[in-house]
Amino acid sequence: MNFKKLKKYHVSVFTNNLLITVVLIFLFKRYHQNDVHLLSLITVFLALFVAFFLIINYMLKEVEKNFKLMPDIKFLAFNIGITAVISLMMIKELGWYGVLFVVIFAACFFQLEHMVRRVRQ
Amino acid sequence: MSIALNFSPAEIPNAIATFKAVIIDNPLPSILLFGSYILYYVYLFINHKAADSEIYEIDLLSAGISSFMIGLLLLGVSEESKTLSLSSFNFSSGTSVYALMLMGYALLLILFAFVKILPRVVVILLGNSELDFFINFMAIMLTQQGVAITGTLMVLVAVPLIILLIIQRVRRAL
């Protein structure tokens, strides 16, 4: 990974990943407190994310012909790892499903942010 | 959960006490929330002339999608049957109203990101990270049980963010 070249992109995506992880933790903490069944959420949200990815992909292809859909694997692992560690630290408040969903949704948001920031580089 | 948009200077100590209570109840997420923004602003202040500190239509798309998802998740917070069925959503609660407004706003942002008809100044106003932070912060406050969202609370969050936005725009223009 070339840090000198991707420094600005890294800061934006990293801080955004932290922010969205925190917001998701607050939301899923409340879901856990209310004892809401979370499994039905995942299907709806993943379908929505796929739809949004397709829309963004279409939009970005117009801007950048050689658009890279996937982020650097080390950077992805680093950010998902941080989200996983933070949510595992909150496992009492989130429950196992909560941790799982925070990581999945944060990964989806991360991918979204990556796609947007790649175009702005 | 109640939302009242009245502002009163006398309510400022109460609003500060509400913030304190939320931070004390959620120390780790609060540290991360403010830490991520401090890191982001330190970066912006160092690189204020960088090309990517500008705001484009693509930022409207990013803000729109994240706001839509947050709105959708927020809608489920006030759901009563614990199964997330549409019939049991409480659409009259303050949280649901905020969530629906957020989703509507998000859809508008997505639409404007595609049609690209907005003037530059509006794109900057709608696509900036301060507004995104404000929306996310309000969503966080709405997840807290027993916290009443008042105009004073909103002003208390909004004023520092508006000052930050102005400072950044002025620094960039110089």
Side-chain angles (χ1 to χ4, degrees):
Chain A
M1 185 159 52
N2 189 341
F3 276 100
K4 275 183 184 172
K5 195 180 169 191
L6 297 177
K7 202 171 120 191
K8 293 161 194 168
Y9 156 79
H10 276 92
V11 174
S12 297
V13 177
F14 175 72
T15 53
N16 213 281
N17 183 55
L18 267 185
L19 175 68
I20 210 70
T21 301
V22 171
V23 176
L24 288 171
I25 282 174
F26 274 102
L27 282 161
F28 283 108
K29 190 179 165 187
R30 184 64 192 274
Y31 275 111
H32 188 65
Q33 282 171 353
N34 290 0
D35 204 21
V36 172
H37 297 290
L38 291 171
L39 272 175
S40 52
L41 264 181
I42 195 162
T43 323
V44 176
F45 272 81
L46 287 181
L48 274 171
F49 269 115
V50 169
F52 281 133
F53 286 145
L54 290 175
I55 291 170
I56 296 184
N57 200 24
Y58 166 76
M59 190 175 179
L60 300 189
K61 285 278 184 198
E62 286 183 351
V63 183
E64 193 182 351
K65 294 284 180 227
N66 300 317
F67 173 67
K68 275 175 79 177
L69 188 67
M70 287 306 290
D72 183 294
I73 193 75
K74 284 180 192 167
F75 189 48
L76 176 71
F78 173 70
N79 277 279
I80 302 301
I82 282 184
T83 302
V85 169
I86 294 167
S87 48
L88 279 171
M89 285 167 80
M90 304 281 299
I91 194 160
K92 251 188 193 173
E93 289 93 339
L94 294 173
W96 280 107
Y97 277 130
V99 169
L100 181 71
F101 290 150
V102 167
V103 173
I104 290 172
F105 289 154
C108 291
F109 277 113
F110 169 85
Q111 174 66 21
L112 212 72
E113 195 61 19
H114 153 76
M115 292 164 92
V116 168
R117 300 294 147 189
R118 284 294 297 185
V119 172
R120 294 188 47 171
Q121 270 191 291
Chain B
M1 178 61 59
S2 63
I3 301 176
L5 296 178
N6 54 313
F7 172 78
S8 162
E11 280 181 14
I12 291 176
N14 276 345
I16 293 172
T18 306
F19 282 133
K20 270 187 186 171
V22 171
I23 291 167
I24 290 167
D25 282 351
N26 307 281
L28 179 66
S30 301
I31 290 169
L32 291 169
L33 179 71
F34 294 114
S36 72
Y37 261 77
I38 290 168
L39 185 66
Y40 181 70
Y41 281 109
V42 166
Y43 158 71
L44 278 187
F45 275 96
I46 294 168
N47 296 287
H48 68 283
K49 295 229 184 251
D52 69 342
S53 61
E54 268 299 339
I55 297 161
Y56 304 104
E57 273 84 3
I58 194 80
D59 293 279
L60 296 185
L61 188 68
S62 167
I65 292 173
S66 63
S67 295
F68 187 82
M69 292 303 199
I70 300 292
L72 211 56
L73 280 170
L74 207 53
L75 201 60
V77 163
S78 57
E79 200 262 358
E80 287 160 346
S81 76
K82 301 180 180 185
T83 54
L84 293 172
S85 64
L86 200 64
S87 57
S88 56
F89 278 107
N90 178 10
F91 288 106
S92 60
S93 78
T95 309
S96 300
V97 172
Y98 180 86
L100 290 170
M101 281 166 60
L102 189 57
M103 286 163 72
Y105 162 77
L107 289 174
L108 270 179
L109 285 190
I110 295 168
L111 179 73
F112 286 136
F114 277 96
V115 293
K116 297 180 181 177
I117 52 165
L118 288 181
R120 185 98 190 94
V121 66
V122 182
V123 173
I124 289 168
L125 282 175
L126 294 178
N128 68 76
S129 56
E130 285 78 14
L131 184 60
D132 198 38
F133 181 69
F134 178 80
I135 287 168
N136 285 327
F137 201 85
M138 282 301 123
I140 286 171
M141 297 304 280
L142 283 165
T143 62
Q144 302 301 301
Q145 275 173 325
V147 172
I149 305 292
T150 62
T152 314
L153 195 87
M154 287 181 172
V155 170
L156 220 59
V157 179
V159 168
L161 293 173
I162 291 168
I163 293 170
L164 271 172
L165 175 70
I166 293 169
I167 291 173
Q168 276 186 67
R169 301 313 304 173
V170 170
R171 281 196 77 205
R172 197 173 156 73
L174 292 176

